[in-house]
């Protein structure tokens, strides 16, 4: 494929892969980036949230030309039953700052932009190329990759695996296990197009302001999962995702979930009259800290979703991906600058750097939370949302029933649905997982 040898080969052109390739190229290393899609972002039609601080550390002036949609001024959280939602929201004019902290983006456009920055930094980016395996020497050290092109073997000092959650290359090479079904979510998304003034009127926005809604409850049919709504300039990203293991055990389909979510009384008015132009599905790592594989070895490092770096509790992924890609590149650069070999011992610097960052500190803090939500999904995503809805309706409906009688009935509903010991146990487990 290519006779020359590279300092680094980056497999994948998502958030983590682009962050790694850009950082390496910016520091003068000879970089080859391989992407199986027609172009970077070809497989990502969904909307997403961009965390500015993490990108700013890579490209400080990104706001000058990055394809940003709306800066977020409001966050809403909904606990839903079939006909209502109980909400909590936060909105602040402080978010209308000169350099906003969060933006909505459309990944197809953003990944193309990021990929061009990688090229401008000096990396060689080749798309429509599938990496079929890793090349290892007799001692097991990774020395390059095999591709589906003619004479498709390419060599490098180090390979950065940014291949996504499935991690087929790492799994085939024995560097990591394939993710289990209860550690991965399948999310489906649609893009609903509306005039910008309609979006602004329905969500109480002006200019480039944006809103994010995150929802949990009966919309996931008792499975561990969440729905979301992101406002873009001229479209709304709407989706829902649940654990693959829950889809397997219940027989529910992603299509049925998103159809029910769209028709919910709280959601339908927001997308009324919209035109759906894009539909996609993708896998998201949900196992948390305990699912993270080995992140480095002789001649290789692993970043982003391939490394299972996703904070499901706070719904953060792109910031962890970009940070892991950047830190991996900085570690590689340091090793290269010392003219040391890319051994596991030397590349362990990457692990130390990511351990010292917010990435591992946050994931470690909530290491027990994914398992709790997975094992108690019926309670957290079905029983409790229904009980909260009933309690709120009883509280707000004025029908001549004495308040003491209503309060007693509400209390009885909670006890009959879940024993006091069960409620107390869930509360204790939640508190322990959160602290």
């Amino acid at each position: 494929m290519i006779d020359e040898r590279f300092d680094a080969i980056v497999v994948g052109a998502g958030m983590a892969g682009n962050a790694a390739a850009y950082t390496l190229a910016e520091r003068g290393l000879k970089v080859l980036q391989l992407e199986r899609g027609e172009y970077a972002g070809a497989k990502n039609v969904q909307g997403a949230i961009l965390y500015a601080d993490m990108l700013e550390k890579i490209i400080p002036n990104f706001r000058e030309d990055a394809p940003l949609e709306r800066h977020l001024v409001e966050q809403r959280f909904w606990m839903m039953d079939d006909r209502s939602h109980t909400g909590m929201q936060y909105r602040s004019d402080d978010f209308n700052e000169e350099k906003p902290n969060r933006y909505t983006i459309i990944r197809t456009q953003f990944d193309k932009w990021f990929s061009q920055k990688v090229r401008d930094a000096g990396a060689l980016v080749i798309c429509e190329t599938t990496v079929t395996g890793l090349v290892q020497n007799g001692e097991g050290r990774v020395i390059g990759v095999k591709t589906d092109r003619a004479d498709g073997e390419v060599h490098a000092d180090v390979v950065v695996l940014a291949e996504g959650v499935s991690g087929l290359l790492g799994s085939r090479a024995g560097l990591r296990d394939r993710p289990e079904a209860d550690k991965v979510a399948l999310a489906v998304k649609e893009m609903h197009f509306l005039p910008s003034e309609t979006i602004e009127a329905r969500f109480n926005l002006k200019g480039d302001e944006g809103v994010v809604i995150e929802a949990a409850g009966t919309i996931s049919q008792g499975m561990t999962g969440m729905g979301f709504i992101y406002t873009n300039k001229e479209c709304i990203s709407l989706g829902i995702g649940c654990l693959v293991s829950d889809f397997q055990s219940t027989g529910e389909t992603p299509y049925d979930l998103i159809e029910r979510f769209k028709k919910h009384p709280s959601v339908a008015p927001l997308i009324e009259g919209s035109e759906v132009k894009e539909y996609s599905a993708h896998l998201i790592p949900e196992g948390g800290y305990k699912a993270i594989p080995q992140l480095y070895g002789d001649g290789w490092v692993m970043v982003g979703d391939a490394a299972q770096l996703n904070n499901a509790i706070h719904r953060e992924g792109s910031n962890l991906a970009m940070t892991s890609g950047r830190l991996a590149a900085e570690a590689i650069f340091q090793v290269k600058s010392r003219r040391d070999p890319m051994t596991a011992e030397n590349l362990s610097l990457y692990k130390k750097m990511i351990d010292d960052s917010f990435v591992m500190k946050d994931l470690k803090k909530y290491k027990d939370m994914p398992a709790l939500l997975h094992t108690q999904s019926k309670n957290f995503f079905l029983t409790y949302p229904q009980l909260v809805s009933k309690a709120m309706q009883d509280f707000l409906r004025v029908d001549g029933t004495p308040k003491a009688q209503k309060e007693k009935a509400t209390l009885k509903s909670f006890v009959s649905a879940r024993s006091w010991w069960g409620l107390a146990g869930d509360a204790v487990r939640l508190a322990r997982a959160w602290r």
Side-chain angles (χ1 to χ4, degrees):
M1 178 180 168
I2 300 175
D3 292 333
E4 57 187 311
R5 182 182 180 87
F6 293 85
D7 293 321
I9 295 173
V10 179
V11 181
M15 289 289 201
N18 283 334
Y22 179 87
T23 303
L24 289 165
E26 268 286 293
R27 282 156 176 73
L29 272 65
K30 190 175 182 180
V31 180
L32 171 65
Q33 185 181 34
L34 299 172
E35 163 60 32
R36 64 185 175 91
E38 183 182 354
Y39 51 85
K43 306 186 303 296
N44 292 317
V45 302
Q46 77 270 14
I49 296 177
L50 174 71
Y51 301 89
D53 181 73
M54 290 70 197
L55 182 57
E56 212 162 18
K57 286 181 171 62
I58 302 168
I59 306 176
N61 63 343
F62 76 90
R63 292 181 180 85
E64 293 179 4
D65 59 354
L68 307 173
E69 289 294 306
R70 293 180 179 273
H71 69 276
L72 296 174
V73 298
E74 183 176 341
Q75 180 88 30
R76 303 177 191 175
F77 300 96
W78 288 357
M79 180 180 288
M80 308 179 78
D81 73 352
D82 293 342
R83 292 185 55 78
S84 69
H85 76 265
T86 304
M88 178 178 72
Q89 66 189 66
Y90 180 75
R91 182 181 183 124
S92 175
D93 196 49
D94 290 344
F95 292 134
N96 283 314
E97 52 203 333
E98 183 180 354
K99 294 183 176 182
N101 179 251
R102 298 189 304 160
Y103 298 87
T104 54
I105 58 172
I106 297 173
R107 284 290 301 274
T108 305
Q109 300 169 9
F110 183 84
D111 288 5
K112 272 186 178 180
W113 169 86
F114 207 165
S115 183
Q116 186 58 53
K117 293 295 181 183
V118 173
R119 288 183 171 89
D120 294 344
L124 174 61
V125 180
I126 301 179
C127 297
E128 296 184 280
T129 301
T130 300
V131 178
T132 58
L134 299 176
V135 180
Q136 295 173 283
N137 64 16
E139 298 173 348
R141 178 175 173 179
V142 175
I143 58 172
V145 301
K146 300 174 186 176
T147 74
D148 61 351
R149 291 180 176 247
D151 301 320
E153 194 167 295
V154 193
H155 292 167
D157 294 337
V158 64
V159 174
V160 180
L161 295 170
E163 54 178 329
V165 60
S166 297
L168 295 179
L169 284 179
S171 299
R172 289 169 184 164
L175 307 182
R176 52 162 279 183
D177 295 329
R178 292 194 66 178
E180 299 173 1
D182 64 345
K183 304 293 191 300
V184 179
L186 174 61
V188 289
K189 302 178 178 66
E190 293 180 348
M191 303 291 275
H192 289 253
F193 284 78
L194 287 165
S196 58
E197 57 269 23
T198 302
I199 293 173
E200 288 156 19
R202 290 181 182 180
F203 289 88
N204 189 26
L205 303 171
K206 62 179 186 295
D208 288 336
E209 292 178 340
V211 170
V212 165
I213 301 173
E214 293 175 326
T218 63
I219 53 170
S220 63
Q221 301 296 298
M223 300 187 292
T224 303
M226 292 192 70
F228 59 86
I229 298 171
Y230 302 155
T231 56
N232 303 309
K233 287 181 179 177
E234 295 183 336
C235 66
I236 295 170
S237 302
L238 180 149
I240 188 168
C242 294
L243 290 179
V244 171
S245 58
D246 284 345
F247 282 123
Q248 292 174 336
S249 63
T250 63
E252 289 283 348
T253 67
Y255 175 81
D256 287 339
L257 283 188
I258 198 169
E259 285 300 306
R260 281 195 292 263
F261 185 40
K262 290 191 300 182
K263 293 174 182 176
H264 191 281
S266 298
V267 176
L270 299 177
I271 58 172
E272 183 180 0
S274 64
E275 181 181 3
V276 180
K277 292 185 179 181
E278 297 174 352
Y279 177 92
S280 69
H282 77 291
L283 296 173
I284 304 171
E286 294 281 331
Y289 182 80
K290 293 182 178 180
I292 297 172
Q294 178 77 11
L295 297 181
Y296 64 93
D298 287 328
W300 62 273
V301 295
M302 197 175 294
V303 298
D305 282 0
Q308 308 298 296
L309 299 176
N310 181 60
N311 189 334
I313 305 305
H314 286 269
R315 288 82 54 204
E316 295 176 9
S318 64
N319 54 337
L320 280 70
M322 288 188 290
T323 300
S324 65
R326 174 178 63 83
L327 293 179
E330 290 177 355
I332 290 168
F333 177 72
Q334 288 191 37
V335 174
K336 187 74 174 177
S337 298
R338 298 195 300 260
R339 298 187 178 181
D340 288 336
M342 297 294 171
T343 62
E345 181 180 0
N346 289 330
L347 290 173
S348 67
L349 174 62
Y350 164 49
K351 180 64 162 60
K352 183 181 184 306
M353 292 170 73
I354 203 167
D355 281 347
D356 290 340
S357 74
F358 78 93
V359 174
M360 286 300 190
K361 289 179 180 178
D362 286 354
L363 290 174
K364 190 172 183 179
K365 175 178 172 59
Y366 303 112
K367 64 182 184 297
D368 295 322
M369 188 67 78
L372 173 62
L373 295 179
H374 300 172
T375 57
Q376 303 294 324
S377 61
K378 295 276 187 206
N379 295 333
F380 290 115
F381 297 96
L382 197 61
T383 303
Y384 295 153
Q386 291 172 332
L387 291 174
V388 168
S389 176
K390 186 178 186 311
M392 290 303 300
Q393 185 149 159
D394 287 345
F395 178 77
L396 295 172
R397 187 180 291 277
V398 179
D399 56 6
T401 305
K403 299 298 187 270
Q405 184 177 332
K406 284 192 172 187
E407 291 166 3
K408 186 176 180 180
T410 298
L411 208 55
K412 185 177 180 180
S413 296
F414 273 84
V415 175
S416 62
R418 199 85 169 97
S419 71
W420 279 117
W421 287 114
L423 287 167
D426 285 345
V428 170
R429 284 189 289 268
L430 190 62
R432 285 175 176 171
W434 196 264
R435 70 185 180 189

